[in-house]
Amino acid sequence: MENLQGHWWIDDDGGFHPGQDGGGDLDHYFFSHLGMARLAQGPHAVELCWDAHQVGGAALMVALDRLSGLCVSVRLCFYYFGWRREYFPGPGPAIERALQIQENRSVVPLHEMLIDRHPIDALATASPFLADAFAQWERAGGRFDRLDDGVLAAYLPRVLMIRQDDNDGRLIYSWIGGQSFCARVYGQSWVAGAVGGPADTASGPESEQYADLASTIIRRVLRAGEPEYHHVCAQVDAPEAVPVWHGYERLIVPHTLPGGAPAVAVVAQPRGDLSIRLAGAV
């Protein structure tokens, strides 16, 4: 079977069976009950999908062996306490990542938000939007309202701002841009009800544990007055939905509101090429 371009299911004996494009009604049965892996191979790219908890026998190893002989970009689509997609420029790092996932498949994540904290100078390799947002923040001396109107108009729709209440210390949403990551995940109706409300308790589909961790980080930035840059993998889906890990990079910077009150500004950018450690503690 030299030419394997197309869609294939691989069974636990390593046998290849013709399949169809992803999204078929039987996909869940093949992944979760039969322990199969699915390989979709094109001339320049390959997608490999499997359930890390259920894949059986030789299925994954045969698929990885097939990958090792190709010169293509790779997308991994795997279930590890939730579905996750990651992109790689070549087979080598994709194979290494797949083996890492399988080695840790029985380790339950302690949080629904897994974070790799990176030094600020790592923004040099971040998405252009985040790198430029940090440069603008530095030029404005931590005051986005000092930016030119045109620059401000470009950033505000994608910014989330949180302040601390002077009376009880609670975190409050002071601004949620309509194109911010939260708005895209939770929806515009959530945005309308969240502004002016508490930011340190669950107000969307996230859990209280998720909200507690997020607010701990916000308070740390408020207290230290230092920006932080993170790679994040988080589950923020409705309880009845099939869990999905969302990968994004996030910049949190201290900010001063027009009235002089301290706050933080948060900018996030979805990315599919972040391989965050999914096992163990944050």
Side-chain angles (χ1 to χ4, degrees):
M1 193 175 271
E2 290 299 323
N3 183 7
L4 285 179
Q5 289 195 24
H7 299 268
W8 303 89
W9 288 97
I10 307 173
D11 62 32
D12 55 7
D13 291 323
F16 283 74
H17 306 273
Q20 59 179 350
D21 197 351
D25 293 338
L26 293 178
D27 283 9
H28 175 74
Y29 179 76
F30 289 150
F31 286 130
S32 300
H33 296 279
L34 298 182
M36 289 179 140
R38 188 179 69 213
L39 187 71
Q41 181 176 334
H44 306 295
V46 169
E47 180 183 74
L48 173 60
C49 301
W50 78 101
D51 184 329
H53 307 298
Q54 302 296 335
V55 70
L60 184 61
M61 292 301 104
V62 167
L64 295 180
D65 182 65
R66 176 66 188 175
L67 276 182
S68 67
L70 301 175
C71 184
V72 293
S73 61
V74 179
R75 181 169 74 173
L76 298 182
C77 175
F78 56 90
Y79 189 91
Y80 168 87
F81 301 98
W83 282 104
R84 171 78 178 135
R85 284 183 170 86
E86 295 180 0
Y87 300 82
F88 301 86
I95 292 170
E96 182 178 346
R97 177 63 164 166
L99 294 174
Q100 178 192 78
I101 292 160
Q102 290 309 111
E103 289 172 0
N104 294 279
R105 62 180 174 176
S106 62
V107 182
V108 180
L110 298 183
H111 298 282
E112 296 160 293
M113 185 193 298
L114 305 178
I115 303 167
D116 286 345
R117 184 177 176 182
H118 294 264
I120 286 297
D121 58 14
L123 281 165
T125 59
S127 66
F129 179 76
L130 253 68
D132 189 60
F134 181 70
Q136 298 287 358
W137 174 80
E138 282 194 305
R139 282 194 287 270
R143 295 283 297 263
F144 277 108
D145 57 312
R146 292 175 178 170
L147 296 173
D148 293 339
D149 289 345
V151 175
L152 192 62
Y155 278 94
L156 274 181
R158 297 181 63 176
V159 172
L160 174 75
M161 293 184 186
I162 300 173
R163 64 176 177 86
Q164 192 165 27
D165 189 274
D166 293 334
N167 297 318
D168 58 14
R170 298 296 301 274
L171 298 178
I172 305 295
Y173 289 112
S174 61
W175 170 264
I176 303 174
Q179 298 173 28
S180 64
F181 183 75
C182 282
R184 279 183 277 179
V185 173
Y186 296 159
Q188 296 301 321
S189 60
W190 173 84
V191 172
V195 175
D200 48 10
T201 59
S203 59
E206 79 274 15
S207 68
E208 288 294 342
Q209 183 187 46
Y210 181 104
D212 287 345
L213 178 58
S215 60
T216 295
I217 295 169
I218 296 300
R219 293 182 191 279
R220 185 171 70 208
V221 174
L222 279 168
R223 183 174 60 252
E226 296 293 335
E228 294 191 13
Y229 170 51
H230 304 145
H231 288 180
V232 184
C233 195
Q235 288 186 11
V236 287
D237 302 282
E240 66 272 12
V242 176
V244 175
W245 292 101
H246 298 271
Y248 58 96
E249 54 182 354
R250 177 177 65 194
L251 174 65
I252 308 176
V253 297
H255 173 58
T256 303
L257 295 173
V264 299
V266 184
V267 185
Q269 175 69 28
R271 281 184 58 178
D273 59 344
L274 303 179
S275 294
I276 299 164
R277 182 171 57 92
L278 296 183
V282 174

